[in-house]
């Protein structure tokens, strides 16, 4: 048996080299694993199905830096959501085959979720935000940039159980969002200090006016927007 400390070192090396994959991941993971960054690795749902014994896993990143990762689907996300209930941080950026049902599984099973990145998951719709608003009471940071969400989904999210915990909202490049989404975020999230909503073509001067009280509060750390 290889000690878990040695396996942790092997995992770091294999991740750094991009050699961790579906075929060898089972040889190095262990029950005490807490973080797994697979962003640079060639993996699919098959790798995620092999994490069933990683009950202490708190962070997983299967996102992509550029292009799309089509090998990760909702089936894989549902698998880790049921196997790894301790997850606090989940990064799925550019996983275009992850649908709302995958996010629903995370929201329902990972009760301590704090950070979720589903940016550029191009098939995500309001259903994902509804699920988070109903279940994720510890959610602090959420990114759903370049998805298909609408004002209804954003309102359901920020007026839900995470309204008092949300500190960061990234919703740039969402072509369906209007001033209503901006106003909902500003009105429902008193702890907000990062708000990103540039390149949303339906947002108007009305949002700039809604930002005035927010800017005077001195709690803002980062803000970007485009007024068309």
């Amino acid at each position: 048996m290889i000690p878990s400390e040695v396996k942790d070192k092997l995992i770091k090396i294999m991740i750094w080299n991009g050699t961790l994959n579906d075929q060898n991941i089972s040889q190095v993971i262990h029950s005490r694993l807490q973080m797994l960054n697979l962003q640079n690795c060639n993996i699919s749902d098959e790798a995620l199905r092999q994490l069933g014994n990683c009950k202490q896993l708190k962070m997983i990143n299967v996102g992509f830096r550029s292009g799309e990762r089509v090998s990760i689907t909702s089936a894989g996300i549902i698998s880790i959501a049921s196997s790894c209930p301790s997850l606090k941080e989940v990064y799925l950026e550019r996983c275009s085959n992850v649908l709302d049902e995958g996010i629903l599984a995370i929201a329902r099973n990972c009760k301590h979720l704090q950070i979720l990145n589903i940016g550029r998951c191009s098939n995500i719709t309001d259903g994902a935000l509804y699920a988070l608003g109903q279940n994720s009471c510890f959610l602090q940071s959420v990114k759903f940039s370049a998805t298909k969400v609408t004002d209804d989904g954003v309102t359901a999210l920020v007026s839900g159980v995470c309204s008092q915990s949300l500190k960061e909202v990234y919703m740039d490049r969402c072509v369906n969002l209007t001033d209503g989404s901006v106003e909902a975020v500003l009105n429902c999230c008193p702890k907000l200090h990062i708000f990103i909503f540039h390149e949303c073509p339906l947002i108007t001067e009305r949002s700039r006016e809604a930002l005035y009280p927010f800017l005077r509060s001195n709690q803002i750390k980062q803000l970007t927007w485009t007024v068309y």
Side-chain angles (χ1 to χ4, degrees), residues 100 103-105 107-108 126-136 157 161:
D100 292 347
I103 309 309
L104 174 61
R108 286 180 173 174
D126 288 341
L129 302 191
Y130 283 128
L132 295 168
Q134 292 168 0
N135 296 278
S136 300
L157 168 69
V161 297

Side-chain angles (χ1 to χ4, degrees), residues 13-145:
I13 293 171
M14 295 171 76
I15 286 174
W16 179 262
N17 293 331
T19 56
L20 195 63
N21 56 42
D22 293 350
Q23 287 71 43
N24 58 32
I25 192 170
S26 63
Q27 300 171 33
V28 291
I29 58 173
H30 56 87
S31 60
R32 293 196 293 173
L33 187 66
Q34 295 195 17
M35 301 178 66
L36 193 57
N37 187 341
L38 301 171
Q39 192 173 34
N40 295 324
C41 301
N42 184 20
I43 52 99
S44 71
D45 287 347
E46 180 57 33
L48 302 187
R49 294 188 188 100
Q50 297 180 57
L51 302 179
N53 196 37
C54 299
K55 304 298 182 184
Q56 297 183 38
L57 193 66
K58 291 181 170 59
M59 186 282 283
I60 188 164
N61 186 346
V62 295
F64 238 20
R65 295 186 186 277
S66 61
E68 294 184 351
R69 191 194 285 277
V70 297
S71 57
I72 299 294
T73 73
S74 294
I77 301 307
I78 291 170
S79 178
I80 60 168
S82 59
S83 299
C84 310
S86 297
L87 280 170
K88 292 183 178 181
E89 302 180 27
V90 179
Y91 302 89
L92 307 174
E93 189 155 18
R94 298 177 183 269
C95 291
S96 57
N97 283 332
V98 173
L99 310 180
D100 292 347
E101 60 194 30
I103 309 309
L104 174 61
I106 291 173
R108 286 180 173 174
N109 292 289
C110 306
K111 296 298 185 181
H112 300 285
L113 184 68
Q114 296 179 3
I115 300 174
L116 178 66
N117 183 345
I118 49 175
R120 296 184 181 271
C121 293
S122 54
N123 288 305
I124 291 293
T125 72
D126 288 341
L129 302 191
Y130 283 128
L132 295 168
Q134 292 168 0
N135 296 278
S136 300
C137 58
F138 297 109
L139 190 63
Q140 297 180 18
S141 175
V142 61
K143 181 175 183 179
F144 48 90
S145 311

